[in-house]
Amino acid sequence: MPAMARTAEADKVRELQRTLYRAAKADPGRRFHALYDKVHRRDVLERAWELVRRNRGAAGIDQATIAQVEQHGVDRLLDELAADLRDGSYRPLPGRRVFISKRGGRERRPLSIPAVRDRVLQAALKLAIEPVFEADFLRCSFGFRPARSAHDALQVLVDEAWRGRRWVVETDIANCFEAIPHDRLMAAVEERIVDRHVLKLLRSMLSAGVMMDGAVRRSGAGTPQGGVISPVLCNVYLHRLDRQWQTRGRGVLCRYADDLVVVCKTNSEAVAALASLRGLLAELGLEPKAAKTRIVHLVDEARDLTSLAFITAGCAPVTPGNGTSRFSRAGPHGRRCSVPAIVCVSSRPGTDCAGRSSKSSQTSTGSCAAGRAISATATRPSSSMRSPVTRTCAWRCGWPSATSGTDATAGRHSPPNRTASD
């Protein structure tokens, strides 16, 4: 397909997403009953294929690779998918179970790799339903969302630390993607979507199971990692936790998918926050992972804030040189990192990373996994300036809010005014 034609098709899909987002944002109680026809629209399927092709994932249990699909004919594949969806004969294949080592090498993460055709369908479904749920998601949620990264989550924690919240509860949800109950997940989906064809499609994906050692295994829980739709479904379910935290929680919650951090002002508040977190997760049929649950007190600002940056953003410290703060961030699968090094979060206003006086912004040095040096301006401005980190709406990708004024900043976190006395 020519580049201009692909751009036009992408614009149509983006306009569809904008329309769905606006409708969902304008009426929080609306339940959508006509989404299935959007899933098998030709432009949506073509956009879904582009996303899958760009990701270059592995083959599923049918052993069909991206290259083989292209040789077979992309148009033919999309025509077959559209026909199967229209006549109701589509059935997903079980995912191929693989295990990858987690960071540290002590544990292994189970992944479920769907077939290429199933990934295309999941991507198309995600394009149709994600805007509806994104209209509801809260600002404390960052993982697997448009224009909301781990660095944005880290900035929230740094800002809250400057506000005096230096007791930090850190945990993650044990086996989250494998433990989410299907019935409760579908109940969460049905709060917004009542299209019976879409719900049937989601149930078929959840119940497809995984193939391991030549046998297909199915259970009534889990949205296996590796699927295109899984992160969205995980956020849909954990949105219930975010909502409950607003009225029943203590401290400020910051959630990146299944990783949770709560920042509090006192030790007692942190202990109460952890108890509330355990209770709310238990109501959802989940539990925090004991080995990764702890309460940290940020006593030494320079050292502990930097540690918090590593905890949150997955960075590893490199021995700093004189007057610099060095960071290393490994890219996926050990390849060279494409993300700039994280700026220093240790310096106070008016000082550089080594504590020397500075009238404006500071520079911190970092390196990617390949050792290439990177310099970036630190986020500690002088007392008369606000943080230069730009807070953009989660819909800078083009899904504007239904009403002006409030929704335009739905994805923003405003850094506090800082003075020399902070």
Side-chain angles (χ1 to χ4, degrees):
M1 181 184 294
M4 292 184 63
R6 285 200 301 269
T7 302
E9 294 298 329
D11 288 343
K12 291 180 181 179
V13 175
R14 183 59 54 83
E15 186 58 37
L16 168 65
Q17 291 183 301
R18 291 171 181 166
T19 302
L20 292 172
Y21 178 79
R22 289 191 189 111
K25 197 72 177 179
D27 185 0
R30 178 174 176 177
R31 304 174 77 191
F32 291 76
H33 65 277
L35 292 175
Y36 192 68
D37 61 312
K38 317 298 191 293
V39 177
H40 58 71
R41 264 176 42 171
R42 182 67 180 199
D43 56 343
V44 174
L45 288 174
E46 288 175 352
R47 175 61 178 158
W49 160 253
E50 287 296 324
L51 294 172
V52 172
R53 182 189 62 80
R54 189 184 307 165
N55 194 52
R56 308 300 298 182
I61 64 171
D62 60 354
Q63 299 300 313
T65 63
I66 297 289
Q68 289 173 338
V69 169
E70 291 176 326
Q71 184 178 4
H72 170 80
V74 175
D75 289 338
R76 182 178 174 183
L77 170 68
L78 299 184
D79 289 340
E80 292 172 353
L81 271 177
D84 289 346
L85 288 171
R86 280 192 292 266
D87 62 26
S89 62
Y90 172 79
R91 296 293 183 274
L93 294 173
R96 179 170 63 89
R97 174 68 83 196
V98 296
F99 293 90
I100 61 172
S101 297
K102 293 186 178 181
R103 187 173 52 195
R106 296 182 179 180
E107 299 181 56
R108 301 176 71 199
R109 186 190 309 278
L111 297 183
S112 176
I113 309 300
V116 173
R117 70 188 301 269
D118 294 334
R119 295 208 296 274
V120 173
L121 192 280
Q122 288 188 24
L125 183 58
K126 178 184 175 183
L127 290 171
I129 71 173
E130 185 179 38
V132 174
F133 293 109
E134 277 289 342
D136 295 335
F137 289 161
L138 302 180
R139 289 182 292 178
C140 63
S141 171
F142 291 88
F144 304 110
R145 295 184 58 192
R148 293 175 74 80
S149 68
H151 292 179
D152 296 321
L154 173 60
Q155 187 65 46
V156 172
L157 301 182
V158 173
D159 291 338
E160 292 300 334
W162 279 91
R163 290 188 174 102
R165 293 185 172 92
R166 295 181 174 274
W167 287 90
V168 182
V169 179
E170 180 200 6
T171 187
D172 69 2
I173 301 173
N175 203 24
C176 177
F177 283 86
E178 300 291 326
I180 295 176
H182 289 172
D183 54 345
R184 296 187 187 183
L185 172 60
M186 291 307 301
V189 172
E190 289 170 12
E191 290 180 6
R192 273 300 206 169
I193 296 176
V194 292
D195 187 322
R196 61 186 182 88
H197 296 294
V198 171
L199 297 177
K200 179 181 178 182
L201 190 59
L202 282 172
R203 289 190 182 97
S204 68
M205 292 177 179
L206 292 173
S207 61
V210 296
M211 179 169 284
M212 182 175 174
D213 299 328
V216 177
R217 303 180 181 182
R218 296 183 174 89
S219 71
T223 170
Q225 285 183 276
V228 179
I229 199 71
S230 295
V232 174
L233 296 180
C234 177
N235 275 331
V236 168
Y237 191 63
L238 293 182
H239 176 60
R240 291 187 163 188
L241 170 66
D242 301 340
R243 287 186 308 190
Q244 290 295 317
W245 192 264
Q246 290 186 307
T247 57
R248 299 170 56 186
R250 305 284 296 274
V252 176
L253 172 67
C254 185
R255 181 176 65 81
Y256 193 92
D258 58 341
D259 294 312
L260 309 171
V261 172
V262 183
V263 286
C264 306
K265 289 190 173 181
T266 64
N267 181 35
S268 59
E269 185 181 25
V271 172
L274 180 56
S276 298
L277 200 57
R278 293 182 190 276
L280 291 174
L281 288 176
E283 293 176 9
L284 296 175
L286 306 171
E287 62 180 359
K289 191 170 186 177
K292 293 187 177 181
T293 301
R294 61 174 181 166
I295 296 177
V296 181
H297 186 203
L298 305 182
V299 179
D300 184 332
E301 177 184 29
R303 181 179 66 248
D304 292 333
L305 273 181
T306 302
S307 300
L308 184 59
F310 300 147
I311 292 170
T312 307
C315 300
V318 179
T319 302
N322 293 330
T324 64
S325 177
R326 295 184 61 83
F327 297 82
S328 169
R329 184 176 179 87
H333 310 296
R335 294 194 291 268
R336 188 180 67 197
C337 179
S338 61
V339 179
I342 297 177
V343 297
C344 175
V345 297
S346 308
S347 57
R348 292 186 61 81
T351 65
D352 62 15
C353 295
R356 293 190 292 264
S357 175
S358 175
K359 294 183 179 180
S360 59
S361 59
Q362 301 85 37
T363 299
S364 93
T365 306
S367 61
C368 67
R372 183 172 297 175
I374 304 172
S375 295
T377 302
T379 60
R380 289 289 166 254
S382 63
S383 60
S384 62
M385 297 175 60
R386 295 182 69 87
S387 170
V389 176
T390 303
R391 293 290 128 216
T392 57
C393 174
W395 303 120
R396 69 183 183 194
C397 60
W399 298 356
S401 309
T403 57
S404 61
T406 51
D407 297 332
T409 58
R412 300 190 182 186
H413 177 85
S414 299
N417 287 318
R418 296 168 183 140
T419 64
S421 62
D422 283 344

PDB file of all heavy atoms in Angstrom, residues 259-288:
ATOM      1  N   ASP A 259       2.797  -2.960  39.031  1.00  0.00           N
ATOM      2  CA  ASP A 259       3.755  -2.428  40.006  1.00  0.00           C
ATOM      3  C   ASP A 259       3.128  -1.238  40.719  1.00  0.00           C
ATOM      4  O   ASP A 259       2.642  -0.303  40.076  1.00  0.00           O
ATOM      5  CB  ASP A 259       5.050  -1.999  39.316  1.00  0.00           C
ATOM      6  CG  ASP A 259       5.796  -3.188  38.720  1.00  0.00           C
ATOM      7  OD1 ASP A 259       5.951  -4.193  39.437  1.00  0.00           O
ATOM      8  OD2 ASP A 259       6.209  -3.112  37.544  1.00  0.00           O
ATOM      9  N   LEU A 260       3.178  -1.257  42.043  1.00  0.00           N
ATOM     10  CA  LEU A 260       2.492  -0.251  42.849  1.00  0.00           C
ATOM     11  C   LEU A 260       3.458   0.459  43.778  1.00  0.00           C
ATOM     12  O   LEU A 260       4.304  -0.184  44.416  1.00  0.00           O
ATOM     13  CB  LEU A 260       1.383  -0.904  43.682  1.00  0.00           C
ATOM     14  CG  LEU A 260       0.386  -1.804  42.939  1.00  0.00           C
ATOM     15  CD1 LEU A 260      -0.502  -2.526  43.929  1.00  0.00           C
ATOM     16  CD2 LEU A 260      -0.442  -0.993  41.970  1.00  0.00           C
ATOM     17  N   VAL A 261       3.327   1.769  43.851  1.00  0.00           N
ATOM     18  CA  VAL A 261       4.078   2.574  44.808  1.00  0.00           C
ATOM     19  C   VAL A 261       3.097   3.545  45.445  1.00  0.00           C
ATOM     20  O   VAL A 261       2.294   4.182  44.752  1.00  0.00           O
ATOM     21  CB  VAL A 261       5.225   3.350  44.122  1.00  0.00           C
ATOM     22  CG1 VAL A 261       5.865   4.329  45.091  1.00  0.00           C
ATOM     23  CG2 VAL A 261       6.284   2.396  43.597  1.00  0.00           C
ATOM     24  N   VAL A 262       3.140   3.660  46.778  1.00  0.00           N
ATOM     25  CA  VAL A 262       2.325   4.623  47.513  1.00  0.00           C
ATOM     26  C   VAL A 262       3.268   5.493  48.326  1.00  0.00           C
ATOM     27  O   VAL A 262       4.100   4.973  49.081  1.00  0.00           O
ATOM     28  CB  VAL A 262       1.307   3.937  48.448  1.00  0.00           C
ATOM     29  CG1 VAL A 262       0.448   4.981  49.136  1.00  0.00           C
ATOM     30  CG2 VAL A 262       0.446   2.955  47.676  1.00  0.00           C
ATOM     31  N   VAL A 263       3.164   6.811  48.174  1.00  0.00           N
ATOM     32  CA  VAL A 263       4.026   7.730  48.920  1.00  0.00           C
ATOM     33  C   VAL A 263       3.203   8.395  50.018  1.00  0.00           C
ATOM     34  O   VAL A 263       2.089   8.853  49.795  1.00  0.00           O
ATOM     35  CB  VAL A 263       4.656   8.778  47.985  1.00  0.00           C
ATOM     36  CG1 VAL A 263       5.743   8.154  47.153  1.00  0.00           C
ATOM     37  CG2 VAL A 263       3.627   9.426  47.082  1.00  0.00           C
ATOM     38  N   CYS A 264       3.782   8.422  51.217  1.00  0.00           N
ATOM     39  CA  CYS A 264       3.072   8.913  52.398  1.00  0.00           C
ATOM     40  C   CYS A 264       3.956   9.886  53.168  1.00  0.00           C
ATOM     41  O   CYS A 264       5.171   9.955  52.952  1.00  0.00           O
ATOM     42  CB  CYS A 264       2.690   7.743  53.311  1.00  0.00           C
ATOM     43  SG  CYS A 264       1.748   6.428  52.496  1.00  0.00           S
ATOM     44  N   LYS A 265       3.348  10.603  54.112  1.00  0.00           N
ATOM     45  CA  LYS A 265       4.080  11.595  54.887  1.00  0.00           C
ATOM     46  C   LYS A 265       4.661  11.032  56.178  1.00  0.00           C
ATOM     47  O   LYS A 265       5.623  11.581  56.712  1.00  0.00           O
ATOM     48  CB  LYS A 265       3.170  12.790  55.199  1.00  0.00           C
ATOM     49  CG  LYS A 265       2.854  13.641  53.970  1.00  0.00           C
ATOM     50  CD  LYS A 265       2.163  14.935  54.345  1.00  0.00           C
ATOM     51  CE  LYS A 265       2.005  15.834  53.124  1.00  0.00           C
ATOM     52  NZ  LYS A 265       1.361  17.138  53.442  1.00  0.00           N
ATOM     53  N   THR A 266       4.057   9.967  56.702  1.00  0.00           N
ATOM     54  CA  THR A 266       4.543   9.402  57.962  1.00  0.00           C
ATOM     55  C   THR A 266       4.622   7.894  57.862  1.00  0.00           C
ATOM     56  O   THR A 266       4.028   7.271  56.972  1.00  0.00           O
ATOM     57  CB  THR A 266       3.607   9.774  59.130  1.00  0.00           C
ATOM     58  OG1 THR A 266       2.314   9.169  58.905  1.00  0.00           O
ATOM     59  CG2 THR A 266       3.456  11.291  59.253  1.00  0.00           C
ATOM     60  N   ASN A 267       5.368   7.308  58.790  1.00  0.00           N
ATOM     61  CA  ASN A 267       5.482   5.858  58.830  1.00  0.00           C
ATOM     62  C   ASN A 267       4.132   5.213  59.112  1.00  0.00           C
ATOM     63  O   ASN A 267       3.775   4.200  58.497  1.00  0.00           O
ATOM     64  CB  ASN A 267       6.497   5.459  59.905  1.00  0.00           C
ATOM     65  CG  ASN A 267       6.684   3.949  59.988  1.00  0.00           C
ATOM     66  OD1 ASN A 267       6.638   3.258  58.973  1.00  0.00           O
ATOM     67  ND2 ASN A 267       6.883   3.434  61.190  1.00  0.00           N
ATOM     68  N   SER A 268       3.364   5.783  60.040  1.00  0.00           N
ATOM     69  CA  SER A 268       2.062   5.204  60.371  1.00  0.00           C
ATOM     70  C   SER A 268       1.120   5.242  59.172  1.00  0.00           C
ATOM     71  O   SER A 268       0.345   4.311  58.938  1.00  0.00           O
ATOM     72  CB  SER A 268       1.443   5.958  61.553  1.00  0.00           C
ATOM     73  OG  SER A 268       1.287   7.332  61.249  1.00  0.00           O
ATOM     74  N   GLU A 269       1.202   6.323  58.396  1.00  0.00           N
ATOM     75  CA  GLU A 269       0.370   6.406  57.204  1.00  0.00           C
ATOM     76  C   GLU A 269       0.792   5.356  56.179  1.00  0.00           C
ATOM     77  O   GLU A 269      -0.045   4.743  55.510  1.00  0.00           O
ATOM     78  CB  GLU A 269       0.459   7.796  56.586  1.00  0.00           C
ATOM     79  CG  GLU A 269      -0.489   7.996  55.405  1.00  0.00           C
ATOM     80  CD  GLU A 269      -0.371   9.367  54.773  1.00  0.00           C
ATOM     81  OE1 GLU A 269       0.702   9.994  54.901  1.00  0.00           O
ATOM     82  OE2 GLU A 269      -1.350   9.815  54.142  1.00  0.00           O
ATOM     83  N   ALA A 270       2.098   5.091  56.062  1.00  0.00           N
ATOM     84  CA  ALA A 270       2.589   4.075  55.142  1.00  0.00           C
ATOM     85  C   ALA A 270       2.133   2.685  55.560  1.00  0.00           C
ATOM     86  O   ALA A 270       1.740   1.866  54.721  1.00  0.00           O
ATOM     87  CB  ALA A 270       4.108   4.133  55.061  1.00  0.00           C
ATOM     88  N   VAL A 271       2.176   2.404  56.867  1.00  0.00           N
ATOM     89  CA  VAL A 271       1.710   1.103  57.360  1.00  0.00           C
ATOM     90  C   VAL A 271       0.220   0.939  57.072  1.00  0.00           C
ATOM     91  O   VAL A 271      -0.240  -0.127  56.630  1.00  0.00           O
ATOM     92  CB  VAL A 271       2.000   0.974  58.872  1.00  0.00           C
ATOM     93  CG1 VAL A 271       1.347  -0.289  59.426  1.00  0.00           C
ATOM     94  CG2 VAL A 271       3.505   0.951  59.115  1.00  0.00           C
ATOM     95  N   ALA A 272      -0.557   2.002  57.295  1.00  0.00           N
ATOM     96  CA  ALA A 272      -1.990   1.952  57.014  1.00  0.00           C
ATOM     97  C   ALA A 272      -2.250   1.799  55.521  1.00  0.00           C
ATOM     98  O   ALA A 272      -3.172   1.087  55.101  1.00  0.00           O
ATOM     99  CB  ALA A 272      -2.671   3.213  57.548  1.00  0.00           C
ATOM    100  N   ALA A 273      -1.417   2.451  54.709  1.00  0.00           N
ATOM    101  CA  ALA A 273      -1.573   2.338  53.261  1.00  0.00           C
ATOM    102  C   ALA A 273      -1.323   0.917  52.789  1.00  0.00           C
ATOM    103  O   ALA A 273      -2.045   0.390  51.928  1.00  0.00           O
ATOM    104  CB  ALA A 273      -0.627   3.305  52.559  1.00  0.00           C
ATOM    105  N   LEU A 274      -0.309   0.272  53.348  1.00  0.00           N
ATOM    106  CA  LEU A 274      -0.016  -1.115  52.973  1.00  0.00           C
ATOM    107  C   LEU A 274      -1.160  -2.035  53.382  1.00  0.00           C
ATOM    108  O   LEU A 274      -1.543  -2.939  52.617  1.00  0.00           O
ATOM    109  CB  LEU A 274       1.294  -1.566  53.619  1.00  0.00           C
ATOM    110  CG  LEU A 274       1.743  -2.999  53.311  1.00  0.00           C
ATOM    111  CD1 LEU A 274       1.845  -3.234  51.804  1.00  0.00           C
ATOM    112  CD2 LEU A 274       3.074  -3.306  54.001  1.00  0.00           C
ATOM    113  N   ALA A 275      -1.732  -1.801  54.561  1.00  0.00           N
ATOM    114  CA  ALA A 275      -2.870  -2.614  54.997  1.00  0.00           C
ATOM    115  C   ALA A 275      -4.068  -2.401  54.069  1.00  0.00           C
ATOM    116  O   ALA A 275      -4.759  -3.359  53.700  1.00  0.00           O
ATOM    117  CB  ALA A 275      -3.233  -2.262  56.439  1.00  0.00           C
ATOM    118  N   SER A 276      -4.320  -1.155  53.686  1.00  0.00           N
ATOM    119  CA  SER A 276      -5.415  -0.874  52.756  1.00  0.00           C
ATOM    120  C   SER A 276      -5.172  -1.539  51.410  1.00  0.00           C
ATOM    121  O   SER A 276      -6.097  -2.080  50.786  1.00  0.00           O
ATOM    122  CB  SER A 276      -5.567   0.635  52.566  1.00  0.00           C
ATOM    123  OG  SER A 276      -5.904   1.272  53.775  1.00  0.00           O
ATOM    124  N   LEU A 277      -3.930  -1.502  50.961  1.00  0.00           N
ATOM    125  CA  LEU A 277      -3.573  -2.108  49.681  1.00  0.00           C
ATOM    126  C   LEU A 277      -3.820  -3.610  49.711  1.00  0.00           C
ATOM    127  O   LEU A 277      -4.383  -4.182  48.761  1.00  0.00           O
ATOM    128  CB  LEU A 277      -2.121  -1.801  49.364  1.00  0.00           C
ATOM    129  CG  LEU A 277      -1.653  -1.918  47.923  1.00  0.00           C
ATOM    130  CD1 LEU A 277      -2.479  -1.044  47.005  1.00  0.00           C
ATOM    131  CD2 LEU A 277      -0.173  -1.570  47.831  1.00  0.00           C
ATOM    132  N   ARG A 278      -3.420  -4.260  50.778  1.00  0.00           N
ATOM    133  CA  ARG A 278      -3.657  -5.703  50.896  1.00  0.00           C
ATOM    134  C   ARG A 278      -5.157  -6.013  50.871  1.00  0.00           C
ATOM    135  O   ARG A 278      -5.592  -6.965  50.207  1.00  0.00           O
ATOM    136  CB  ARG A 278      -3.040  -6.233  52.193  1.00  0.00           C
ATOM    137  CG  ARG A 278      -1.530  -6.200  52.252  1.00  0.00           C
ATOM    138  CD  ARG A 278      -1.030  -6.804  53.564  1.00  0.00           C
ATOM    139  NE  ARG A 278       0.385  -6.596  53.779  1.00  0.00           N
ATOM    140  CZ  ARG A 278       1.352  -7.368  53.276  1.00  0.00           C
ATOM    141  NH1 ARG A 278       1.017  -8.413  52.528  1.00  0.00           N
ATOM    142  NH2 ARG A 278       2.616  -7.099  53.542  1.00  0.00           N
ATOM    143  N   GLY A 279      -5.932  -5.213  51.585  1.00  0.00           N
ATOM    144  CA  GLY A 279      -7.363  -5.459  51.635  1.00  0.00           C
ATOM    145  C   GLY A 279      -8.042  -5.267  50.290  1.00  0.00           C
ATOM    146  O   GLY A 279      -8.879  -6.080  49.875  1.00  0.00           O
ATOM    147  N   LEU A 280      -7.692  -4.201  49.582  1.00  0.00           N
ATOM    148  CA  LEU A 280      -8.305  -3.938  48.290  1.00  0.00           C
ATOM    149  C   LEU A 280      -7.918  -4.991  47.258  1.00  0.00           C
ATOM    150  O   LEU A 280      -8.748  -5.425  46.448  1.00  0.00           O
ATOM    151  CB  LEU A 280      -7.893  -2.544  47.806  1.00  0.00           C
ATOM    152  CG  LEU A 280      -8.465  -1.371  48.592  1.00  0.00           C
ATOM    153  CD1 LEU A 280      -7.867  -0.055  48.105  1.00  0.00           C
ATOM    154  CD2 LEU A 280      -9.984  -1.328  48.466  1.00  0.00           C
ATOM    155  N   LEU A 281      -6.660  -5.425  47.290  1.00  0.00           N
ATOM    156  CA  LEU A 281      -6.232  -6.480  46.358  1.00  0.00           C
ATOM    157  C   LEU A 281      -6.935  -7.794  46.667  1.00  0.00           C
ATOM    158  O   LEU A 281      -7.305  -8.538  45.753  1.00  0.00           O
ATOM    159  CB  LEU A 281      -4.712  -6.656  46.428  1.00  0.00           C
ATOM    160  CG  LEU A 281      -3.875  -5.534  45.818  1.00  0.00           C
ATOM    161  CD1 LEU A 281      -2.387  -5.789  46.049  1.00  0.00           C
ATOM    162  CD2 LEU A 281      -4.154  -5.407  44.323  1.00  0.00           C
ATOM    163  N   ALA A 282      -7.136  -8.082  47.956  1.00  0.00           N
ATOM    164  CA  ALA A 282      -7.827  -9.321  48.328  1.00  0.00           C
ATOM    165  C   ALA A 282      -9.259  -9.323  47.798  1.00  0.00           C
ATOM    166  O   ALA A 282      -9.771 -10.361  47.360  1.00  0.00           O
ATOM    167  CB  ALA A 282      -7.818  -9.487  49.846  1.00  0.00           C
ATOM    168  N   GLU A 283      -9.905  -8.152  47.807  1.00  0.00           N
ATOM    169  CA  GLU A 283     -11.260  -8.063  47.269  1.00  0.00           C
ATOM    170  C   GLU A 283     -11.298  -8.334  45.767  1.00  0.00           C
ATOM    171  O   GLU A 283     -12.320  -8.764  45.233  1.00  0.00           O
ATOM    172  CB  GLU A 283     -11.837  -6.683  47.556  1.00  0.00           C
ATOM    173  CG  GLU A 283     -12.079  -6.417  49.037  1.00  0.00           C
ATOM    174  CD  GLU A 283     -12.562  -5.004  49.289  1.00  0.00           C
ATOM    175  OE1 GLU A 283     -12.862  -4.289  48.290  1.00  0.00           O
ATOM    176  OE2 GLU A 283     -12.628  -4.595  50.467  1.00  0.00           O
ATOM    177  N   LEU A 284     -10.175  -8.089  45.092  1.00  0.00           N
ATOM    178  CA  LEU A 284     -10.081  -8.340  43.651  1.00  0.00           C
ATOM    179  C   LEU A 284      -9.558  -9.740  43.338  1.00  0.00           C
ATOM    180  O   LEU A 284      -9.372 -10.080  42.167  1.00  0.00           O
ATOM    181  CB  LEU A 284      -9.160  -7.299  43.005  1.00  0.00           C
ATOM    182  CG  LEU A 284      -9.630  -5.851  43.054  1.00  0.00           C
ATOM    183  CD1 LEU A 284      -8.560  -4.921  42.483  1.00  0.00           C
ATOM    184  CD2 LEU A 284     -10.939  -5.679  42.279  1.00  0.00           C
ATOM    185  N   GLY A 285      -9.301 -10.534  44.372  1.00  0.00           N
ATOM    186  CA  GLY A 285      -8.761 -11.874  44.156  1.00  0.00           C
ATOM    187  C   GLY A 285      -7.276 -11.877  43.874  1.00  0.00           C
ATOM    188  O   GLY A 285      -6.745 -12.835  43.312  1.00  0.00           O
ATOM    189  N   LEU A 286      -6.577 -10.816  44.294  1.00  0.00           N
ATOM    190  CA  LEU A 286      -5.146 -10.681  44.059  1.00  0.00           C
ATOM    191  C   LEU A 286      -4.432 -10.473  45.380  1.00  0.00           C
ATOM    192  O   LEU A 286      -5.068 -10.282  46.414  1.00  0.00           O
ATOM    193  CB  LEU A 286      -4.866  -9.507  43.112  1.00  0.00           C
ATOM    194  CG  LEU A 286      -5.604  -9.507  41.773  1.00  0.00           C
ATOM    195  CD1 LEU A 286      -5.401  -8.180  41.053  1.00  0.00           C
ATOM    196  CD2 LEU A 286      -5.145 -10.675  40.895  1.00  0.00           C
ATOM    197  N   GLU A 287      -3.111 -10.504  45.343  1.00  0.00           N
ATOM    198  CA  GLU A 287      -2.334 -10.270  46.551  1.00  0.00           C
ATOM    199  C   GLU A 287      -0.974  -9.696  46.185  1.00  0.00           C
ATOM    200  O   GLU A 287      -0.458  -9.951  45.095  1.00  0.00           O
ATOM    201  CB  GLU A 287      -2.147 -11.570  47.346  1.00  0.00           C
ATOM    202  CG  GLU A 287      -1.389 -12.657  46.603  1.00  0.00           C
ATOM    203  CD  GLU A 287      -1.241 -13.920  47.423  1.00  0.00           C
ATOM    204  OE1 GLU A 287      -1.720 -13.923  48.570  1.00  0.00           O
ATOM    205  OE2 GLU A 287      -0.622 -14.889  46.919  1.00  0.00           O
ATOM    206  N   PRO A 288      -0.384  -8.889  47.082  1.00  0.00           N
ATOM    207  CA  PRO A 288       0.959  -8.361  46.807  1.00  0.00           C
ATOM    208  C   PRO A 288       2.006  -9.456  46.929  1.00  0.00           C
ATOM    209  O   PRO A 288       1.830 -10.429  47.671  1.00  0.00           O
ATOM    210  CB  PRO A 288       1.144  -7.284  47.877  1.00  0.00           C
ATOM    211  CG  PRO A 288       0.225  -7.684  48.984  1.00  0.00           C
ATOM    212  CD  PRO A 288      -0.939  -8.377  48.347  1.00  0.00           C
TER     213      PRO A 288
END
